[in-house]
Amino acid sequence: MSNVIYQAQPPLEFISPKFNPLFLQAVHSLLPSWIRWQTAITQIEADKVEVLVDLYRQFQEGKIRFLLAFRHPKTDDPFCLTYLFSQLVPRVAREQGTALQSPIHAHFIYDRGIPLWAGSYVGWIASHLGATPIQRGKADWTGLRSARELFANGQFPMAAAPEGATNGLSEIISPLEPGIAQLGFWCAEDLHKAERSEQVLIVPVGIKYSYVAPPWDAIAQLLNQLEAATGLPVNPQGKTNTASMELLYPRLLTLAEHLLSLMEQFYTRFYHQKLPDAQKISEEIKDRNEALAVRLQALLNAALQISEQYFDLHPKGQLNDRCRRVEQAGWNYMFREEYKDVKGLSAVEKALGDRVAEEANARMWHMRLVESFVAVSGNYIREKPTVERFAETTLILWQTIAKIEGEKSFRRPQLGKKRVKITIGEPISVSEHYPIYKQSRLGAKQAVADLTNNLQQAMESLI
């Protein structure tokens, strides 16, 4: 988090959606200029927009309810989707002669933690755009009730990222969280109880970023900075027309290995973690990429255990699931019920609470490091050696070093101008799965799992 929390505070309040059509109109008007000014994006295009036009037509005619399940590789994704709603969908609708009511919009589901690190104003903006927050690491019944109500009765369709968080990689999808499928079944259930005939759909949406021109020189310069920060000799390569995949990949591997060694020493010496011997791994696994992947997974597990042990959590599930539980445990230490009435606490009680909040924040730092690497495999570049994959991996290393150095701003360097490709997938019917869902508790669990798996496959097919 950029705004470090050193004091115990009252529990996080729910930020109610308060949709303001005039505010949305202003956002739609300013968005193209804002994207050009604040991002490296120069072009946004979309495939199969006609599918989305038809879905909005059916939604506005009261025939369907749907949720857009979008890929979430970068923090720019919501801006791209809003551009899709405000510019591309109306344009295609006009070309087809399809009459749609304005505005074209969606109720976004967002992480309640975003306003903590991005600024409280983000919560205000999200609220007035009709978005609704959720706390990811617990059963946030207030947030879930709000999302459920909007799905069944909201003015617009829903939009959410089933991966739960950005992973920084355009061509790897993190394991999907089951909450999207569960929301779909709740919507179907609410419509059934109300004797309404709308069909419930989940629509996969792919988002992929690419560079207008390969930014090899900018990547080389960033590698220079990272090498200097980690104590490696700075390589003079990177001058105009000299940088390339062949020259830079060995440097990236060396940087990753060196940074990994520094972190292994850090956790072994000061946190008493037992990690595999790097030299032994290198002798047993000759491939540098595979050896790196083995060492990385061991380090991530050890770092996450530092947080879990402090919060008395048992390791369970995949890394991203464990990160969410640590995050929620940390929030429980920082945002506490007894601080609703801070006047009733003594000075000593408040000081002790602040100590707990400070320590919890420090322990969550280890989880934040792990969070950056949950989708990193070690073979991402070698499987498909593109400048986009190379840049994404380099930026993940930059983000890690920035966190280690305590940078308060995690705005990633812009390596070059980008174009964005949005792809609308084939809608998945929740209603078709609903008969199995309502049979029994076991049937409901299986239906959620099956629908989540179908969505995972559908989103992977859009890459």
Side-chain angles (χ1 to χ4, degrees):
M1 297 179 185
S2 58
N3 298 324
V4 181
I5 300 169
Y6 288 130
Q7 294 181 320
Q9 303 174 41
L12 287 172
E13 294 183 356
F14 178 71
I15 304 174
S16 301
K18 300 175 182 177
F19 175 66
N20 185 324
L22 293 179
F23 182 63
L24 177 63
Q25 184 178 2
V27 169
H28 280 183
S29 298
L30 296 172
L31 184 65
S33 297
W34 191 93
I35 289 175
R36 287 193 298 270
W37 176 46
Q38 287 290 321
T39 76
I41 297 170
T42 60
Q43 178 184 347
I44 301 175
E45 58 182 28
D47 273 350
K48 299 186 178 179
V49 181
E50 64 277 5
V51 173
L52 197 53
V53 170
D54 188 58
L55 289 170
Y56 268 97
R57 178 190 62 78
Q58 293 183 67
F59 179 91
Q60 294 177 355
E61 292 175 355
K63 296 179 179 179
I64 63 171
R65 308 292 298 185
F66 70 89
L67 180 147
L68 294 163
F70 62 90
R71 273 250 45 217
H72 200 18
K74 302 183 186 300
T75 54
D76 290 338
D77 302 338
F79 309 133
C80 298
L81 288 173
T82 304
Y83 185 89
L84 170 70
F85 300 147
S86 64
Q87 306 292 325
L88 304 184
V89 170
R91 182 188 306 166
V92 172
R94 288 193 299 268
E95 293 172 353
Q96 291 184 341
T98 302
L100 294 180
Q101 302 171 20
S102 295
I104 302 300
H105 188 48
H107 294 292
F108 281 82
I109 301 174
Y110 67 98
D111 174 19
R112 178 61 181 84
I114 291 176
L116 295 179
W117 58 262
S120 58
Y121 70 93
V122 174
W124 185 93
I125 291 173
S127 171
H128 286 76
L129 290 176
T132 189
I134 195 81
Q135 292 188 41
R136 297 177 296 175
K138 70 172 187 177
D140 178 11
W141 296 115
T142 301
L144 290 171
R145 280 194 295 269
S146 176
R148 181 171 182 170
E149 169 64 21
L150 286 173
F151 202 163
N153 303 303
Q155 181 179 349
F156 307 108
M158 304 296 290
E163 293 168 274
T166 60
N167 66 14
L169 303 174
S170 291
E171 297 185 295
I172 289 185
I173 297 180
S174 299
L176 304 190
E177 298 180 355
I180 298 302
Q182 182 62 70
L183 277 175
F185 284 120
W186 279 342
C187 182
E189 184 176 56
D190 293 342
L191 297 179
H192 179 74
K193 288 180 179 179
E195 298 182 349
R196 290 164 54 182
S197 60
E198 297 105 307
Q199 295 294 299
V200 181
L201 307 173
I202 293 178
V203 184
V205 178
I207 301 179
K208 187 174 181 180
Y209 297 80
S210 60
Y211 287 100
V212 174
W216 289 116
D217 291 338
I219 294 172
Q221 292 173 12
L222 182 57
L223 281 175
N224 286 343
Q225 297 174 24
L226 301 183
E227 288 166 341
T230 57
L232 284 172
V234 176
N235 196 307
Q237 293 172 356
K239 297 179 181 179
T240 305
N241 298 326
T242 62
S244 65
M245 175 76 75
E246 292 74 17
L247 292 173
L248 297 183
Y249 191 54
R251 289 176 58 187
L252 182 65
L253 273 180
T254 299
L255 173 63
E257 290 168 341
H258 181 60
L259 179 60
L260 191 54
S261 295
L262 293 177
M263 297 306 295
E264 288 170 337
Q265 294 167 20
F266 172 73
Y267 280 107
T268 300
R269 180 178 178 185
F270 297 106
Y271 290 92
H272 317 295
Q273 297 296 302
K274 294 183 178 179
L275 293 167
D277 181 78
Q279 183 64 35
K280 185 176 181 180
I281 291 176
S282 298
E283 293 174 355
E284 293 177 352
I285 305 176
K286 300 302 182 182
D287 185 281
R288 292 177 69 185
N289 290 274
E290 294 180 10
L292 191 65
V294 171
R295 291 171 60 192
L296 177 61
Q297 289 304 307
L299 179 70
L300 296 181
N301 184 63
L304 200 49
Q305 284 181 345
I306 299 297
S307 299
E308 290 171 331
Q309 289 167 2
Y310 175 76
F311 293 115
D312 195 25
L313 298 173
H314 296 289
K316 182 180 179 182
Q318 299 181 354
L319 288 177
N320 56 332
D321 299 319
R322 294 165 64 185
C323 285
R324 297 289 68 77
R325 285 195 294 275
V326 167
E327 181 179 58
Q328 188 58 52
W331 285 2
N332 291 342
Y333 278 35
M334 298 174 186
F335 304 98
R336 295 162 54 179
E337 287 291 333
E338 58 265 42
Y339 279 75
K340 284 183 176 180
D341 182 18
V342 70
K343 294 181 180 178
L345 299 175
S346 68
V348 171
E349 287 173 316
K350 287 189 288 185
L352 289 174
D354 291 344
R355 293 291 183 186
V356 169
E358 184 176 2
E359 180 68 14
N361 188 72
R363 295 290 174 164
M364 289 172 71
W365 179 86
H366 304 281
M367 179 273 292
R368 297 296 178 198
L369 282 181
V370 175
E371 199 173 35
S372 301
F373 285 92
V374 291
V376 174
S377 65
N379 291 310
Y380 185 56
I381 299 174
R382 189 169 61 176
E383 290 172 352
K384 187 179 178 182
T386 63
V387 68
E388 285 77 20
R389 291 194 175 203
F390 197 104
E392 288 172 349
T393 304
T394 306
L395 287 170
I396 287 175
L397 291 178
W398 172 87
Q399 182 178 5
T400 302
I401 292 172
K403 288 179 179 178
I404 293 171
E405 293 180 333
E407 294 288 339
K408 292 187 177 181
S409 174
F410 293 135
R411 187 177 178 85
R412 293 188 175 192
Q414 301 292 0
L415 299 177
K417 298 297 183 182
K418 296 178 184 177
R419 61 171 65 95
V420 182
K421 182 69 168 290
I422 303 173
T423 306
I424 310 301
E426 290 299 317
I428 300 172
S429 174
V430 178
S431 300
E432 289 181 2
H433 292 78
Y434 181 65
I436 298 175
Y437 174 86
K438 68 178 182 179
Q439 284 180 356
S440 64
R441 181 174 297 181
L442 183 61
K445 185 177 181 179
Q446 187 61 49
V448 168
D450 290 343
L451 185 56
T452 301
N453 182 57
N454 291 346
L455 179 59
Q456 178 97 35
Q457 294 180 23
M459 295 186 74
E460 289 174 350
S461 71
L462 296 179
I463 294 178

